[in-house]
């Protein structure tokens, strides 16, 4: 984008001096606009990955701390079982109730979890505040189904992690061979 911005600035001078036409400049300008959009997409993607990374790190840290984290982490063990095959039941119920899709932020093992050596297979993160009406409803549904979950509230000490509900058991470290 920087390179193209220079090209456009140079062409602008040529236009000002009457050497090229406005139409000739506009094709360079269009190329610059398109590069700007690509850059913006890449920046959004990087931000999203950074959020995912922070979430995974917080999950790991809070779950590893053996003593209950009290007001920041709600832990429900249920029957200790959840697999991605159980997700449609939950998302369908959510859609029926709230007329929108379940806001899943991490579905199973992601590249972020993989790169951090964390096992997030058969685990799903949902971008809902556990204390919002939707979050409370989802937790009640999970408890009715005996599905284990970890609910992270917003005020996590030392981490600006978005509140979310992690469905499934806590992430464990991946075996070296699986990395
Ligand atoms: Zn998670």
């Amino acid at each position: 984008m920087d390179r193209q911005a220079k090209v456009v600035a140079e062409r602008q001078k040529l236009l000002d001096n009457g050497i090229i036409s406005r139409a000739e400049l506009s094709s360079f300008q269009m190329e610059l606009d398109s590069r700007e959009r690509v850059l913006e997409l890449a920046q959004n993607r990087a931000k999203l990955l950074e959020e995912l990374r922070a979430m995974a790190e917080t999950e790991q840290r809070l779950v590893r701390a053996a003593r209950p984290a009290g007001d920041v982490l709600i832990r429900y063990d249920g029957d200790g079982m959840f697999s991605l095959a159980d997700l449609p039941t939950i998302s369908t119920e959510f859609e029926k109730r709230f007329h929108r899709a379940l806001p899943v932020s991490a579905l199973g093992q992601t590249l972020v979890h993989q790169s951090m050596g964390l096992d997030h297979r058969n685990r799903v993160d949902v971008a809902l505040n556990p204390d919002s009406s939707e979050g409370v409803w989802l937790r009640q549904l999970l408890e009715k189904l005996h599905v284990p979950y970890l609910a992270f509230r917003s005020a996590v000490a030392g981490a600006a992690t978005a509140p979310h509900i992690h469905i499934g058991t806590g992430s464990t470290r991946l075996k070296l061979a699986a990395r």
Side-chain angles (χ1 to χ4, degrees):
M1 208 203 85
D2 288 343
R3 276 201 309 273
Q4 189 66 18
K6 268 184 210 137
V7 170
V8 168
E10 282 161 15
R11 294 299 189 280
Q12 180 67 50
K13 267 183 227 152
L14 295 181
L15 174 71
D16 294 344
N17 293 323
I19 296 165
I20 62 168
S21 68
R22 187 158 294 280
E24 280 171 282
L25 177 69
S26 84
S27 71
F28 290 104
Q29 182 62 51
M30 266 157 56
E31 173 64 21
L32 177 61
D33 292 347
S34 118
R35 288 185 191 195
E36 253 164 11
R37 280 193 300 275
V38 170
L39 178 65
E40 201 180 294
L41 284 177
Q43 282 166 339
N44 286 343
R45 174 108 186 112
K47 194 168 150 257
L48 192 74
L49 287 176
E50 174 50 31
E51 282 166 8
L52 268 182
R53 195 200 55 74
M55 261 190 214
E57 202 176 79
T58 304
E59 285 186 359
Q60 185 65 3
R61 202 159 43 82
L62 286 187
V63 172
R64 222 173 14 208
R67 63 197 156 79
D71 52 343
V72 294
L73 171 66
I74 307 159
R75 184 191 182 124
Y76 172 74
D77 289 330
D79 61 11
M81 283 192 304
F82 173 75
S83 92
L84 292 189
D86 304 324
L87 185 61
T89 309
I90 295 163
S91 54
T92 303
E93 285 298 311
F94 184 89
E95 266 182 65
K96 255 195 261 172
R97 176 71 180 76
F98 295 106
H99 310 289
R100 68 173 183 120
L102 186 71
V104 169
S105 54
L107 178 65
Q109 188 70 348
T110 68
L111 286 175
V112 170
H113 290 96
Q114 189 71 24
S115 73
M116 294 172 74
L118 293 177
D119 191 351
H120 206 266
R121 288 172 295 183
N122 289 313
R123 293 155 173 105
V124 174
D125 293 341
V126 179
L128 284 179
N129 186 319
D131 298 313
S132 67
S133 56
E134 292 175 332
V136 169
W137 180 92
L138 177 62
R139 288 194 287 130
Q140 283 168 352
L141 175 69
L142 295 173
E143 287 171 21
K144 201 174 86 187
L145 299 172
H146 308 291
V147 169
Y149 70 80
L150 299 165
F152 297 85
R153 291 191 159 120
S154 48
V156 176
T161 302
H164 69 284
I165 298 173
H166 164 109
I167 306 177
T169 55
S171 292
T172 51
R173 299 222 61 94
L174 281 174
K175 301 260 184 313
L176 274 178
R179 287 181 73 172

